[in-house]
Amino acid sequence: MRRFLDSELFPNDLLADYFQSVAPLGYTNLYRFFATMGIDPMLLNKFIPTVLGVITTGFCFGTCLQMFAVPLAGFFATLLLNQYLWLRDDLVSGTAVAFFYPLFSAFLFYLLRRNLLLVCIAIALLGLFYPQGVFICAGILVLQLVRWQRRGIAFTQNRRDYLFCAIALGVAFLVLSVYALKSSEYGSVITAAEARTLPEFRPMGLSQFFVDIPQHFWFTGQRSGMMPKYGTVLPIVATLLLFPMLLFPRVFPLVKQLTSQGWLLVQVTIASLVMFFAAHALLFRLHLPTRYTEHSLRIVTAIAGGIAIAIVLDALFDWAAYTKRNSQQYQWLALGGATLLVTSVVISPTFLEKFPKTDYVIGQLPALYEFFAQQPKDILIASLTEETTNLPSFSQRSILVGGAGFPVPYHKGYYAQIRQRTNDLIAAQYSPDLQQVQSFIQKYNIDYWLLESSAWQPTYITRSRWIRQYDAANQAISFLQQGKIPALANEIKRCAVFQTGNFVVLQACCITEGWVRVTFLGEKLGWRRPRTIY
């Protein structure tokens, strides 16, 4: 998105071009709009999460009150939802997924109010920012036509309901058709059968998906699971307690305040689960299954959990009032239980490792970032270090390949190039043949090569989830274990142009120019190893 401020940045950059092509339209254009006013996207995304969080809180509170007209329940629902939101980096990142929460909450709020115009606007905006959410909305709209009766399931007889849902579904169809008709210049989406053959999707891969532990695969897997890494189980536990409480209205009298609007939570759950299993069945054509449940079920369990907590508190206070005439001891017990429950809900995040969890990356090598930032805007940097992933953000310069976040293996046209680049980079960095290094530099027009002092140890490769998932890694480890010195290691003293800490930057033209001059002299003198006379 820095291209919005400076169009000369990242020229002919495969990584930047790919991520720009798959970014949702609304998300992209929002940042583009503020960039026209000179606001850096890296600054804007620090402010957006707070705004989106406040909007989400308001809609969540209003939605809860329409189902259960007890403000205390709305308070706990929004409290639980905010704990959810700040235990993950979805909202705080300011990326496309961050917009799901306010827009989906708005959809639920206006759906309960039967405001057709605003429901359609919420669906349209959700499609522009997070298209997967539109599928869930469509499922909810269909379920709105179903009525739950004692005799069983029946369809509504109200024609207005059919008209309402038909128009809203029409908007959903139009929004999704924009993406369906859009052809990707990076080829088709990888199939499940193809993904199973790649180490990237196995347990140790960066895009881990297929694992042998069923409960992890179906429930907690980051990409395959239904409810991955929620951070707190309190809302889920409270939600599960809500169902038995509904069966005992005498013990929990406040359950009578729960209106028929509460069925919306069930409809959201059903629609989310249907899309979750559909995404598994059509892997990866609907992208990742977890996107259809983890966000929507957070909202469901937060609201249901808030209602459950309010009902329990009411029951405890009711019991305290009842026992006041009989035993002061039981009264204090009830009040103590209520105090303990409220306190545990409020302070529960303090027992977690990180709260709030921002996952902000703090650059540790400012001198390195400044060095690259001072170079021409069209340079290309090759590196296998973990620090490579920070260079586009902190130096605003292109990298050949990067670690976590960059090698996304879902579009075959994109990832085939990434896989080829990474294998070539690993092979060149650890090859004892200088000619292979120079051929690699010329093939990809590399300008700088960033190296780490520990790169020549086999453990450098084996401990990297990114490097070891590529075929060339095994040969590189073999070379190092055999004691073969990589040709690139011999070029450090001659071609280093910058060094900080354990990192050194080599100028690629230094390496290739040496080869041209040596080859010429070698051919003239008839030497097989002309490099020795450079």
Side-chain angles (χ1 to χ4, degrees):
M1 290 189 176
R2 284 267 175 68
R3 285 172 163 176
F4 299 153
L5 294 174
D6 186 350
S7 60
E8 295 181 359
L9 292 178
F10 309 111
N12 302 314
D13 189 316
L14 171 64
L15 283 67
D17 291 343
Y18 172 73
F19 285 104
Q20 185 171 348
S21 72
V22 298
L25 297 175
Y27 163 67
T28 299
N29 287 309
L30 178 70
Y31 277 89
R32 190 195 304 271
F33 170 75
F34 282 100
T36 59
M37 296 187 288
I39 300 177
D40 192 325
M42 294 289 283
L43 174 64
L44 180 62
N45 86 325
K46 304 297 192 303
F47 293 97
I48 280 182
T50 300
V51 176
L52 298 182
V54 171
I55 296 172
T56 302
T57 300
F59 280 122
C60 176
F61 187 83
T63 301
C64 183
L65 287 189
Q66 292 184 74
M67 300 177 182
F68 190 74
V70 178
L72 184 64
F75 165 76
F76 281 112
T78 55
L79 176 64
L80 293 176
L81 182 57
N82 274 278
Q83 290 178 356
Y84 266 146
L85 296 180
W86 294 96
L87 281 168
R88 287 290 301 271
D89 63 350
D90 298 324
L91 177 69
V92 75
S93 65
T95 53
V97 66
F99 293 84
F100 173 88
Y101 292 98
L103 294 176
F104 189 73
S105 299
F107 167 78
L108 298 180
F109 177 80
Y110 291 118
L111 182 62
L112 290 176
R113 296 175 68 93
R114 310 305 289 179
N115 189 318
L116 178 59
L117 175 61
L118 294 178
V119 163
C120 291
I121 292 175
I123 292 174
L125 290 175
L126 191 58
L128 292 175
F129 284 88
Y130 200 76
Q132 290 86 354
V134 178
F135 285 101
I136 304 174
C137 293
I140 295 170
L141 289 169
V142 172
L143 292 173
Q144 285 281 300
L145 302 176
V146 177
R147 291 294 179 265
W148 307 89
Q149 300 176 351
R150 294 182 180 179
R151 296 180 180 180
I153 298 176
F155 288 95
T156 180
Q157 301 299 319
N158 191 334
R159 292 184 179 181
R160 291 185 178 180
D161 290 339
Y162 286 98
L163 180 61
F164 183 98
C165 292
I167 295 175
L169 285 171
V171 173
F173 176 79
L174 289 175
V175 173
L176 292 175
S177 65
V178 173
Y179 295 95
L181 297 175
K182 180 183 177 181
S183 59
S184 175
E185 58 185 295
Y186 296 97
S188 58
V189 175
I190 192 171
T191 65
E194 292 169 333
R196 290 182 185 275
T197 65
L198 296 178
E200 289 85 339
F201 290 92
R202 296 171 191 165
M204 300 307 295
L206 286 180
S207 299
Q208 179 195 92
F209 191 91
F210 300 105
V211 294
D212 298 328
I213 306 174
Q215 61 268 29
H216 179 65
F217 179 79
W218 290 108
F219 293 101
T220 59
Q222 184 177 353
R223 297 170 181 85
S224 63
M226 194 178 299
M227 305 174 76
K229 299 181 179 179
Y230 267 27
T232 175
V233 297
L234 180 59
I236 300 174
V237 172
T239 299
L240 295 176
L241 292 176
L242 177 62
F243 294 100
M245 286 191 289
L246 296 175
L247 302 176
F248 302 97
R250 291 186 178 180
V251 180
F252 303 98
L254 203 60
V255 298
K256 298 175 183 178
Q257 297 293 325
L258 187 60
T259 67
S260 60
Q261 302 280 48
W263 280 110
L264 180 60
L265 298 180
V266 178
Q267 293 169 351
V268 174
T269 303
I270 293 174
S272 299
L273 291 177
V274 167
M275 288 308 307
F276 172 79
F277 289 111
H280 267 289
L282 299 173
L283 215 62
F284 290 89
R285 280 173 282 183
L286 294 175
H287 205 41
L288 299 174
T290 189
R291 294 196 173 189
Y292 297 97
T293 52
E294 66 168 324
H295 308 300
S296 56
L297 293 187
R298 280 196 183 99
I299 296 175
V300 169
T301 54
I303 294 176
I307 293 173
I309 293 171
I311 291 174
V312 171
L313 286 174
D314 176 76
L316 287 172
F317 287 128
D318 187 65
W319 185 48
Y322 174 77
T323 58
K324 183 176 181 180
R325 296 170 295 178
N326 301 325
S327 174
Q328 190 176 9
Q329 180 181 0
Y330 288 110
Q331 179 187 3
W332 283 108
L333 181 62
L335 293 176
T339 302
L340 180 62
L341 176 60
V342 173
T343 303
S344 62
V345 172
V346 173
I347 70 170
S348 59
T350 61
F351 297 100
L352 302 174
E353 183 179 357
K354 289 183 179 180
F355 183 83
K357 184 178 181 181
T358 64
D359 276 356
Y360 284 138
V361 175
I362 301 175
Q364 303 298 324
L365 300 169
L368 178 66
Y369 312 141
E370 184 178 357
F371 169 78
F372 282 127
Q374 293 173 348
Q375 308 310 314
K377 297 176 182 179
D378 61 348
I379 65 169
L380 184 61
I381 306 165
S383 180
L384 290 173
T385 70
E386 296 294 332
E387 192 61 40
T388 310
T389 59
N390 294 332
L391 298 182
S393 296
F394 296 144
S395 298
Q396 302 180 39
R397 295 298 180 264
S398 297
I399 57 176
L400 181 69
V401 289
F406 289 102
V408 181
Y410 302 112
H411 283 94
K412 291 188 285 187
Y414 168 73
Y415 194 63
Q417 298 180 66
I418 293 296
R419 190 170 182 82
Q420 183 64 51
R421 287 183 174 197
T422 310
N423 274 314
D424 290 348
L425 175 57
I426 296 171
Q429 180 161 316
Y430 291 97
S431 173
D433 182 7
L434 182 61
Q435 183 177 4
Q436 183 175 355
V437 179
Q438 295 160 332
S439 297
F440 169 80
I441 292 173
Q442 293 172 346
K443 177 181 179 180
Y444 292 107
N445 294 317
I446 304 300
D447 295 288
Y448 292 95
W449 205 313
L450 176 63
L451 294 171
E452 203 167 357
S453 59
S454 58
W456 315 120
Q457 301 298 323
T459 54
Y460 184 83
I461 301 175
T462 57
R463 73 180 182 219
S464 172
R465 291 180 62 192
W466 170 39
I467 301 176
R468 67 187 180 190
Q469 66 185 7
Y470 295 100
D471 300 331
N474 292 329
Q475 186 179 35
I477 294 173
S478 177
F479 281 154
L480 294 176
Q481 291 176 339
Q482 293 173 21
K484 295 182 179 180
I485 300 176
L488 197 62
N490 294 326
E491 302 297 317
I492 293 178
K493 290 184 178 180
R494 187 171 65 88
C495 295
V497 292
F498 180 81
Q499 185 171 3
T500 179
N502 296 324
F503 294 86
V504 60
V505 178
L506 307 186
Q507 192 166 29
C509 65
C510 171
I511 304 171
T512 54
E513 286 175 1
W515 168 253
V516 173
R517 293 174 63 184
V518 168
T519 301
F520 176 76
L521 292 174
E523 288 176 353
K524 211 168 184 180
L525 299 175
W527 290 9
R528 292 186 178 182
R529 297 184 63 188
R531 181 173 175 275
T532 58
I533 66 164
Y534 182 81

